[in-house]
Amino acid sequence: MIENEEFIKDFIEEARTHIETLELELVKPNPEEMNKEEINNIFRAVHSIKGTASFFNLTKIVELAHSMENIMGEIREDKFKLTSDIIDLLLASNDCLKSMVEDVVNSENYDIEKFVEKFKALKDNPEAGVIKEQTGVIKEETDSNEEINDTEIKKNKPSFGEDNIRVNVSLLNILLNLASEMVLGRNQLIRAMEKHRKNIVGMDSILQNIDHITTELQEKVMQTRMQTVANVFNKFPRIIRDMAKKLNKEIELTMEGEEVELDKSIIESLGDPLTHLIRNAVDHGLETVEERKQLGKNSTGKVTLKAYHESGYVNIDIIDDGRGIGVEKIKKKAIQNGIVTCSEIEQMNEHEIVQLVFSPGFSTVDVVTDFSGRGVGMDVVKTNIEKLGGAIEIFTAPEKGTTFRLLLPLTLAIIPSIIVEVEGQKFALPQVNLSEIVRIKPGDHNKKIEHINNSEVLRRRGGLLPIIHLADVLGIKREDSESLMKTDSTKTIRILVIKMGSKRIGIAVDKIHGSEEILVKPLPSFIKDCKCYSGVTIMGDGKTAMILDPDGIIVKANLHFNDTVNQKPPKENFEELSDLLTEYQSILLFKCSGTETMAIDLSMVSRVEEIKQEEIELVGNMEYIKFRGDMLRVIRPENHLQITKGSEIYKKYYVIIPKLVKNPVGILIEKILDTVHIKIKLNNEDISTKGIVGSTIINNEIVLLLNIYELFEMVDPKKYAPEKLSLTEKLTILVVEDTPFFQKLEKDYLEDAGHKVYTANNGKEALDFLAKNEVDMIISDIKMPVLDGLGLIKKIRADKSLCHLPAIAVTSMTDESHINEGLEAGFDIYEFKLDRTRLISVIQEAIDHRRSLT
Amino acid sequence: MMDKVLTFYLNNNLFGIDIKLVKEINRNVEFTPVPDAQSEVMGLFNMRGQIVTIFNLAKMIGIKDFEQKINTLTCIILKSLDNDQNQVGFAIDKPGDVIDVDRNECELPPANVSIIESDYIKNVVKLDKNLLLIIEPDKIFKV
């Protein structure tokens, strides 16, 4: 069978070109006068085919190519003259090679003996006469051979390589440039036609059409340049293996997200930095086997390479579970190598000290090894990543490990941006960095800029956001800056909240013009020194505008980021590191008629409708509304839960339509407050009442998280009460879920049904738990930090003592491919969050399924 | 030996540039200033999809500055070298004629011209009525 089947297409394409070269060279007129160069071409072509074929273990192709190569070698060294007879033989062999390559799966069944023998005979007996006699025979045979091959090919259509063609990269680059210019042209056209859209009949739809096609064209052209990170990742298993041997360490490499795609140019420039980081992790990061044993760690060190999308960037994490980087050690080295002085380091906080690793001339390892530790590197890695428009972050905890995180832009050429204006000048700000826009009206007491000495800050999301003025950073004279007060409090101020990795700043501007897809052009080298810009663009009106670089602005504005709440640098232990990585939860905040702030997880909300008082109809003592042509019962939570009731009658209400529920009932509320995206620390002890999952504090207010399943059950016990299942046995179940809300909910359900429940916050915790305790079943989320559900189940299925455990995946990722992925990884049942009755009833199914397998 | 020279005026001084180095003359150039850039850079300008950096030549060679109020200029755009992505132009008051200059009429800047200025000036041509200063763009617009 063929080895390395996934690359076979590439082989076929490559071999085809070689065979073509061969043929072209061979059929040139006057073969006797062939020069060295041409003979060399033939030799190289056969040689390449041989080389690649041997990689796939295609012995027959290798053998034939080898014979051809031999003869060409002799000719090259002038031992032979290239007669037309030899050319005939070569051509015949080439044809056979062609058939074999096209029909690669069956290539082992081809008969090549006759060619090989002829070549051999030729070599042993280079007299022209003999050859002549023999080649006559060959000719006949090859003819018949060809016929056979032809029919075979027809019968057995080659299934590989049909849908790919080779395209020159420079052509792709030209296409990309043209597509980019096209986007620009479209922007200009749309802007110019804006006033006439309505006046000219049909213009509107034409413009829309051009708009869509251009966008799609540009996306597709961009896609042609996209490659998976597997292209760089694939060389690491080998590197790790070699290093492990040489350094006498046991290392396990895990790679995730190899399918994530990045622009070709980025992929290409990623090889060196990644190799460097991996080597560092293995060489400096991981301890030797003995050291690990002494520390009570698993003797096999783990290195994880993980690529994933996050807010418009592709992140690549390089994680090791080695010794971590000690702050004291960094301090010592930094002073030793003269990077900072003692007094300087006293002033620095932990986060800043860790960043010193990226300074030029820094190396912590005491011994210089083959692989790393020559004192060059991390600074180069950092510069290289920044050149790509990316960033690098480091999280480390002594004895627990180090994580390097690369943040990379998807592509370089076209980016969605927001156009802003200060003092009459327009600038483009890449949207990837923008997290929100805040407008501050004069006289608004809830939102106002406050001062700390001369610096301005804004209270935002429970923290203080440093505010800088774009005009000040860029050195534009502000008309309103005569007074010491930096902000003119009589004007409306717009603030762009920028997020760069873990840093947040607010940039104040005069006007915001909306967003535009802009084409990034490189900065002229005359203004390379300005840190605040990352490029130039031409806007829809044909004028140029500078593209702002938030990172550079932070540097220029001289902002120092400290250990603040927003930033949360990694602390001493790994638990907090994992806390840093926990899943965020989106929740909807609302108020019923009472005073409490209520919340519901957004993943449970199908939609929110506004209705008027008179639209609510009474049937008996139940309230109904019309919703999409149907009757929908609505309930007021305050009538069922232990919360305060207001007596006012409002003119309008909102109805939350829940999803993932059978027989949905609308929830009538009075006011929608906000939706927030936060990590929730759930307190389920202080406020414990039926229908409420628990309480948490958001923006200094107590918020009650609604449990809609319990609420519905209270409203209509008959319809929603979980069926009491006749369980023969009470099970011990481990629930693995990182969102406290869902964790609590699942635990409640299962406990209600009579099971004993343990919880774990991620896959790793679950494995640790399983190592010490016995359970009957696992219910796990898929998306989790540290080790996700798929990773967990793979580990469980691979472990002899655990593989019998039934497992249910419970998740909100509900498309077909995810389900299949989950089931393939080893889950018995794949359930959607979070249908109570289903959850209880599938438990038995999962048990049965697992039993049938084992 | 005759060379063709494009002449132009900067604050009533007559300057010239070897016409082989000039790509085009643009009137009504709408440029975008670049805050925070070196002061010699007046701004950037979109020439048919290409970004041109416009320099303040008057300031660079030490004659009276432009009045900065205007946002439209007349500019001479230079030809760019094959392997150079940078397009360069500079602002002038108004273009003059294209004249033939006899090399024999050219002289190096006299000794009493200050060093900075003589660096930018390749030759001085003695015309009938006045002197023509031929500038050397390579030295002026080096990166």
Side-chain angles (χ1 to χ4, degrees):
Chain A
M1 278 289 92
I2 298 171
E3 290 172 17
N4 300 312
E5 203 163 337
E6 62 272 31
F7 303 115
I8 199 93
K9 276 187 187 175
D10 297 331
F11 163 68
I12 293 173
E13 259 163 48
E14 199 187 298
R16 265 191 203 145
T17 31
H18 289 312
I19 288 169
E20 228 166 82
T21 330
L22 240 162
E23 206 166 86
L24 281 174
E25 293 290 353
L26 283 173
V27 297
K28 273 189 186 157
N30 307 328
E32 285 81 5
E33 289 160 24
M34 220 180 245
N35 62 27
K36 267 258 151 60
E37 182 55 35
E38 286 161 330
I39 292 171
N40 261 334
N41 277 345
I42 301 176
F43 183 82
R44 269 198 300 268
V46 197
H47 182 80
S48 309
I49 296 176
K50 187 184 89 168
T52 333
S54 68
F55 171 69
F56 293 101
N57 231 350
L58 301 164
T59 48
K60 291 279 165 115
I61 295 181
V62 173
E63 202 181 336
L64 183 58
H66 180 70
S67 311
M68 292 164 77
E69 186 190 341
N70 267 348
I71 214 83
M72 288 315 297
E74 305 264 313
I75 293 167
R76 195 166 62 158
E77 281 157 30
D78 284 333
K79 287 190 188 160
F80 261 1
K81 248 200 128 37
L82 189 62
T83 62
S84 65
D85 293 326
I86 297 180
I87 287 180
D88 283 344
L89 180 58
L90 281 170
L91 275 175
S93 316
N94 195 32
D95 285 341
C96 182
L97 213 51
K98 199 180 192 171
S99 326
M100 280 158 80
V101 166
E102 294 294 347
D103 188 17
V104 95
V105 186
N106 302 315
S107 69
E108 294 297 290
N109 307 329
Y110 279 72
D111 178 24
I112 55 159
E113 279 314 305
K114 49 184 183 276
F115 297 108
V116 176
E117 268 168 34
K118 303 273 148 68
F119 279 120
K120 224 173 155 189
L122 199 65
K123 213 180 148 194
D124 295 342
N125 199 355
E127 281 169 42
V130 184
I131 297 164
K132 211 157 206 169
E133 203 177 294
Q134 280 177 338
T135 42
V137 189
I138 293 163
K139 250 193 172 166
E140 271 171 38
E141 280 184 24
T142 48
D143 284 350
S144 59
N145 190 17
E146 257 171 357
E147 270 165 41
I148 294 165
N149 287 340
D150 278 352
T151 48
E152 261 175 37
I153 290 164
K154 266 169 211 151
K155 262 189 281 169
N156 203 347
K157 264 244 155 196
S159 52
F160 293 115
E162 286 275 282
D163 44 1
N164 286 323
I165 52 166
R166 273 161 182 271
V167 178
N168 201 324
V169 176
S170 67
L171 179 62
L172 284 183
N173 288 343
I174 294 171
L175 269 181
L176 183 72
N177 271 340
L178 288 175
S180 306
E181 290 294 338
M182 180 94 190
V183 170
L184 203 69
R186 178 215 39 202
N187 292 352
Q188 285 170 339
L189 177 71
I190 287 180
R191 180 153 312 182
M193 292 307 290
E194 201 54 57
K195 286 179 196 141
H196 312 291
R197 267 187 178 223
K198 295 284 173 295
N199 304 340
I200 305 169
V201 180
M203 184 50 75
D204 207 34
S205 64
I206 293 172
L207 283 179
Q208 253 176 28
N209 202 12
I210 287 178
D211 192 4
H212 285 165
I213 292 171
T214 314
T215 310
E216 199 158 324
L217 179 74
Q218 184 236 329
E219 273 170 18
K220 295 292 167 213
V221 171
M222 211 74 105
Q223 259 177 34
T224 60
R225 291 174 46 88
M226 295 298 255
Q227 289 184 322
T228 60
V229 291
N231 282 308
V232 256
F233 278 17
N234 281 341
K235 65 176 180 182
F236 293 122
R238 175 71 196 274
I239 291 176
I240 295 262
R241 197 181 146 273
D242 291 353
M243 287 186 72
K245 266 203 173 149
K246 213 160 192 173
L247 297 168
N248 227 349
K249 291 180 180 178
E250 285 174 25
I251 303 161
E252 184 192 318
L253 173 70
T254 329
M255 298 196 292
E256 288 170 42
E258 290 114 307
E259 72 289 342
V260 172
E261 287 186 327
L262 277 171
D263 192 272
K264 184 179 155 63
S265 52
I266 298 179
I267 292 274
E268 278 162 3
S269 340
L270 213 52
D272 288 343
L274 269 184
T275 313
H276 193 92
L277 290 173
I278 289 264
R279 284 185 168 167
N280 262 344
V282 173
D283 198 7
H284 304 199
L286 294 179
E287 309 90 335
T288 58
V289 176
E290 293 76 36
E291 278 176 306
R292 288 185 75 90
K293 275 183 188 156
Q294 266 173 21
L295 287 165
K297 285 184 178 180
N298 191 332
S299 65
T300 309
K302 271 189 201 137
V303 176
T304 310
L305 252 181
K306 195 162 108 187
Y308 56 97
H309 289 267
E310 195 184 83
S311 53
Y313 274 83
V314 167
N315 290 4
I316 297 182
D317 287 1
I318 300 99
I319 308 160
D320 68 69
D321 68 343
R323 53 172 75 98
I325 308 173
V327 173
E328 287 309 315
K329 204 169 173 186
I330 298 177
K331 274 190 191 171
K332 219 176 99 196
K333 266 277 134 91
I335 295 169
Q336 234 176 54
N337 295 350
I339 294 162
V340 285
T341 62
C342 286
S343 56
E344 272 174 332
I345 215 150
E346 292 302 314
Q347 311 257 320
M348 295 169 93
N349 61 45
E350 235 171 69
H351 187 74
E352 283 173 327
I353 291 170
V354 174
Q355 299 302 319
L356 287 177
V357 172
F358 297 115
S359 324
F362 186 92
S363 174
T364 55
V365 143
D366 305 321
V367 192
V368 173
T369 68
D370 269 6
F371 297 114
S372 43
R374 266 164 294 235
V376 285
M378 289 313 286
D379 60 316
V380 180
V381 170
K382 189 172 189 222
T383 349
N384 282 346
I385 297 296
E386 281 173 353
K387 249 187 228 158
L388 299 174
I392 183 165
E393 291 183 352
I394 172 171
F395 307 92
T396 182
E399 308 305 333
K400 301 287 181 189
T402 309
T403 298
F404 283 98
R405 176 167 299 164
L406 309 182
L407 302 117
L408 301 161
L410 284 170
T411 175
L412 300 170
I414 290 198
I415 50 171
S417 296
I418 186 149
I419 309 296
V420 299
E421 189 181 314
V422 277
E423 300 302 327
Q425 274 196 50
K426 286 179 184 170
F427 297 91
L429 181 84
Q431 259 175 27
V432 278
N433 304 115
L434 188 68
S435 81
E436 58 180 328
I437 297 174
V438 185
R439 194 175 64 156
I440 300 174
K441 276 187 274 184
D444 186 343
H445 290 288
N446 292 325
K447 277 189 285 182
K448 63 167 194 262
I449 290 185
E450 292 168 82
H451 295 82
I452 301 173
N453 288 337
N454 265 334
S455 311
E456 292 175 306
V457 293
L458 178 73
R459 294 176 202 224
R460 196 70 193 151
R461 306 234 179 271
L464 289 178
L465 185 73
I467 304 289
I468 50 174
H469 283 259
L470 188 57
D472 292 348
V473 180
L474 298 178
I476 306 173
K477 201 166 165 281
R478 288 214 327 254
E479 276 170 23
D480 57 6
S481 64
E482 294 109 15
S483 62
L484 253 178
M485 288 292 285
K486 285 186 123 187
T487 316
D488 188 349
S489 52
T490 58
K491 268 208 299 198
T492 305
I493 305 157
R494 289 166 184 84
I495 290 169
L496 306 159
V497 182
I498 305 294
K499 184 173 173 264
M500 276 301 289
S502 52
K503 302 170 194 159
R504 271 169 192 281
I505 54 162
I507 298 180
V509 297
D510 295 348
K511 276 184 195 162
I512 292 170
H513 288 279
S515 65
E516 210 169 282
E517 297 254 296
I518 56 161
L519 165 64
V520 181
K521 292 189 177 267
L523 278 182
S525 26
F526 309 105
I527 46 178
K528 278 266 158 65
D529 294 339
C530 307
K531 290 203 174 74
C532 301
Y533 309 116
S534 58
V536 194
T537 188
I538 298 167
M539 290 190 301
D541 58 5
K543 282 195 194 150
T544 53
M546 306 305 294
I547 303 169
L548 298 170
D549 177 5
D551 234 7
I553 289 177
I554 290 175
V555 174
K556 183 84 204 286
N558 229 349
L559 297 182
H560 303 289
F561 281 90
N562 301 313
D563 299 25
T564 57
V565 195
N566 317 338
Q567 200 186 342
K568 273 197 197 160
K571 294 273 162 58
E572 294 300 313
N573 62 45
F574 207 65
E575 275 65 47
E576 288 194 34
L577 186 66
S578 77
D579 180 55
L580 202 75
L581 306 166
T582 40
E583 206 173 312
Y584 277 79
Q585 198 176 351
S586 295
I587 59 172
L588 176 73
L589 299 177
F590 59 91
K591 269 199 160 107
C592 301
S593 65
T595 50
E596 292 92 346
T597 306
M598 312 286 292
I600 182 170
D601 193 280
L602 261 184
S603 67
M604 296 175 135
V605 178
S606 157
R607 53 183 294 128
V608 179
E609 293 272 325
E610 189 185 302
I611 57 157
K612 295 196 185 86
Q613 162 67 27
E614 53 267 31
E615 287 175 61
I616 305 173
E617 289 172 48
L618 270 175
V619 180
N621 58 356
M622 293 188 256
E623 291 175 302
Y624 287 90
I625 57 163
K626 283 200 202 84
F627 177 65
R628 291 187 182 160
D630 263 334
M631 297 288 282
L632 177 75
R633 184 171 171 196
V634 292
I635 54 162
R636 298 170 193 251
E638 62 268 32
N639 291 344
H640 305 276
L641 303 174
Q642 289 176 18
I643 53 175
T644 55
K645 269 181 226 181
S647 50
E648 259 178 89
I649 290 172
Y650 298 97
K651 276 194 176 146
K652 64 177 190 184
Y653 292 89
Y654 295 91
V655 178
I656 298 174
I657 320 271
K659 66 179 174 189
L660 304 170
V661 190
K662 274 182 212 155
N663 310 316
V665 169
I667 300 167
L668 204 62
I669 57 164
E670 188 247 312
K671 202 171 159 193
I672 292 172
L673 297 176
D674 202 356
T675 57
V676 288
H677 187 65
I678 53 163
K679 272 183 267 187
I680 292 183
K681 280 232 161 68
L682 204 60
N683 176 342
N684 38 38
E685 274 144 27
D686 291 347
I687 299 164
S688 156
T689 160
K690 208 168 182 210
I692 303 285
V693 188
S695 61
T696 185
I697 294 184
I698 297 170
N699 294 345
N700 286 329
E701 274 192 80
I702 296 172
V703 174
L704 303 176
L705 253 84
L706 200 62
N707 180 340
I708 51 169
Y709 301 102
E710 266 180 18
L711 174 65
F712 292 168
E713 202 184 308
M714 289 158 77
V715 171
D716 194 343
K718 264 184 256 158
K719 221 168 175 178
Y720 294 99
E723 300 150 46
K724 285 285 173 219
L725 295 159
S726 50
L727 282 168
T728 45
E729 43 185 341
K730 282 194 176 178
L731 302 169
T732 310
I733 299 174
L734 177 64
V735 170
V736 193
E737 168 69 61
D738 60 323
T739 318
F741 171 75
F742 286 117
Q743 195 186 76
K744 171 81 169 46
L745 218 57
E746 285 171 36
K747 189 168 184 249
D748 285 357
Y749 294 169
L750 295 166
E751 280 178 346
D752 275 3
H755 303 292
K756 192 165 167 48
V757 180
Y758 293 103
T759 55
N761 292 321
N762 58 54
K764 194 178 167 298
E765 279 184 26
L767 285 175
D768 292 348
F769 181 84
L770 290 171
K772 291 179 202 129
N773 306 281
E774 278 197 17
V775 298
D776 301 314
M777 158 166 298
I778 289 159
I779 295 180
S780 172
D781 186 16
I782 296 292
K783 263 183 77 179
M784 288 183 293
V786 188
L787 178 64
D788 68 4
L790 295 175
L792 170 67
I793 196 69
K794 280 179 192 156
K795 288 243 157 68
I796 288 176
R797 292 294 176 240
D799 188 329
K800 262 186 202 151
S801 59
L802 297 175
C803 64
H804 64 279
L805 283 176
I808 302 175
V810 179
T811 167
S812 44
M813 295 189 294
T814 54
D815 63 69
E816 199 76 11
S817 64
H818 282 120
I819 297 176
N820 289 337
E821 206 182 340
L823 294 178
E824 257 168 47
F827 282 109
D828 296 293
I829 304 277
Y830 200 93
E831 266 310 311
F832 308 146
K833 273 176 188 166
L834 208 191
D835 187 326
R836 173 175 195 153
T837 357
R838 279 288 297 164
L839 184 64
I840 303 297
S841 62
V842 293
I843 288 179
Q844 196 54 43
E845 277 178 46
I847 293 171
D848 294 342
H849 179 257
R850 190 49 35 192
R851 272 201 196 130
S852 68
L853 290 177
T854 45
Chain B
M1 211 22 220
M2 304 281 268
D3 277 331
K4 284 202 184 303
V5 169
L6 171 69
T7 62
F8 58 91
Y9 292 92
L10 267 181
N11 200 27
N12 292 326
N13 297 321
L14 187 65
F15 288 90
I17 180 171
D18 183 354
I19 201 152
K20 290 200 286 293
L21 302 173
V22 176
K23 187 184 173 92
E24 61 187 70
I25 303 172
N26 263 293
R27 286 173 213 270
N28 298 326
V29 168
E30 278 187 58
F31 69 96
T32 310
V34 186
D36 197 34
Q38 61 201 79
S39 58
E40 289 85 2
V41 174
M42 294 185 83
L44 303 179
F45 145 67
N46 165 25
M47 185 183 70
R48 300 183 296 277
Q50 283 181 307
I51 307 286
V52 184
T53 313
I54 303 288
F55 282 88
N56 190 342
L57 181 67
K59 193 169 185 178
M60 292 170 87
I61 58 177
I63 59 174
K64 205 184 134 235
D65 204 349
F66 278 96
E67 296 220 356
Q68 281 284 4
K69 270 180 199 165
I70 29 158
N71 252 25
T72 62
L73 301 166
T74 304
C75 291
I76 291 177
I77 315 289
L78 302 180
K79 277 182 190 161
S80 62
L81 298 170
D82 286 345
N83 52 0
D84 193 359
Q85 293 268 318
N86 293 306
Q87 299 265 359
V88 173
F90 55 89
I92 55 172
D93 280 347
K94 63 172 194 210
D97 302 319
V98 177
I99 56 169
D100 293 321
V101 170
D102 194 329
R103 282 206 183 156
N104 296 327
E105 295 296 307
C106 293
E107 263 182 45
L108 289 175
N112 58 353
V113 177
S114 81
I115 295 171
I116 307 167
E117 284 167 44
S118 66
D119 222 22
Y120 292 148
I121 295 163
K122 191 158 96 185
N123 292 117
V124 180
V125 185
K126 295 160 282 179
L127 296 181
D128 293 344
K129 285 182 199 157
N130 46 12
L131 293 176
L132 170 68
L133 307 177
I134 312 268
I135 59 163
E136 185 151 47
D138 284 0
K139 285 223 175 109
I140 301 176
F141 305 116
K142 64 179 173 231
V143 181

